[in-house]
């Protein structure tokens, strides 16, 4: 009989010494201008006072060439302390799959981080809701995140 693992089959191991980025920014192309500005603001504000600025993985600036898309998504989500999900009407309307793949894998990382914690949940996925309401989010995987006190 095969040996049974202590972890569920969906468990994702994320090793903190490998973190290269504070945030993996998930967004749709329609929001690219806002995201470019957000990345610049995060890096500028966090770097004040002589501190090391927080780095952000952004597909337009950091995407390694000649790599399989899903492999890059998995690799860089694992190299990030958090995933910032920029949720806009364009994000919710998208039929493309990349943002939904990013969201699914980020949720697996968050579940894995919290597998043995009962009270204190470590957040990995950080949604930022812009110009959407609860009715628009209600029938999406983001509904539970809307109700959290982040």
């Amino acid at each position: 009989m095969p040996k049974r693992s202590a972890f569920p089959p969906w468990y994702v191991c994320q090793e903190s010494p490998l973190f290269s980025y504070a945030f993996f920014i998930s967004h749709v192309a329609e929001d690219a201008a806002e995201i470019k500005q957000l990345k610049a603001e995060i890096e500028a504000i966090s770097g004040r006072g002589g501190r090391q600025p927080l780095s952000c993985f952004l597909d337009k600036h950091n995407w390694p060439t000649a790599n399989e898309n899903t492999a890059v998504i998995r690799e860089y989500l694992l190299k990030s302390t958090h995933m910032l999900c920029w949720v806009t009407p364009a994000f919710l309307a998208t039929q493309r799959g990349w943002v939904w793949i990013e969201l699914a894998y980020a949720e697996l990382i968050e579940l894995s981080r919290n597998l043995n914690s009962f009270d204190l949940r470590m957040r990995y996925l950080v949604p930022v809701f812009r110009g959407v309401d609860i009715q628009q989010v209600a029938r999406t995987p983001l509904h539970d995140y809307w109700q959290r006190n982040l």
Side-chain angles (χ1 to χ4, degrees):
M1 178 173 239
K3 186 177 178 183
R4 196 162 199 199
S5 171
F7 299 109
W10 48 262
Y11 182 81
V12 177
C13 180
Q14 188 184 34
E15 299 177 22
S16 58
L18 300 178
F19 292 151
S20 302
Y21 300 95
F23 297 102
F24 177 107
I25 303 178
S26 178
H27 69 289
V28 293
E30 293 84 349
D31 298 326
E34 276 186 305
I35 292 302
K36 185 177 177 182
Q37 181 180 351
L38 173 70
K39 179 183 187 296
E41 288 177 15
I42 289 172
E43 291 172 349
I45 291 169
S46 64
R48 289 183 183 163
R51 293 182 303 236
Q52 181 72 24
L54 296 174
S55 58
C56 301
F57 177 85
L58 188 57
D59 60 354
K60 295 291 183 193
H61 299 109
N62 304 105
W63 197 269
T65 56
N67 287 286
E68 203 176 303
N69 290 336
T70 54
V72 171
I73 290 168
R74 284 190 309 270
E75 178 183 351
Y76 285 88
L77 280 169
L78 286 172
K79 288 182 177 184
S80 301
T81 306
H82 299 282
M83 181 182 102
L84 189 147
C85 188
W86 194 253
V87 184
T88 63
F91 183 100
L92 294 174
T94 189
Q95 297 300 309
R96 296 181 305 258
W98 300 123
V99 292
W100 300 111
I101 289 171
E102 293 165 358
L103 180 64
Y105 201 69
E107 188 165 66
L108 286 177
I109 292 170
E110 184 170 285
L111 287 169
S112 297
R113 279 184 172 185
N114 293 293
L115 187 62
N116 295 317
S117 65
F118 299 100
D119 296 326
L120 180 63
R121 292 194 43 91
M122 297 185 316
R123 304 294 184 207
Y124 176 73
L125 187 93
V126 180
V128 177
F129 297 100
R130 303 270 300 169
V132 296
D133 59 35
I134 187 67
Q135 286 76 30
Q136 292 169 291
V137 175
R139 298 189 56 88
T140 73
L142 293 159
H143 181 261
D144 291 340
Y145 293 94
W146 180 282
Q147 296 179 331
R148 287 185 181 177
N149 286 329
L150 297 176

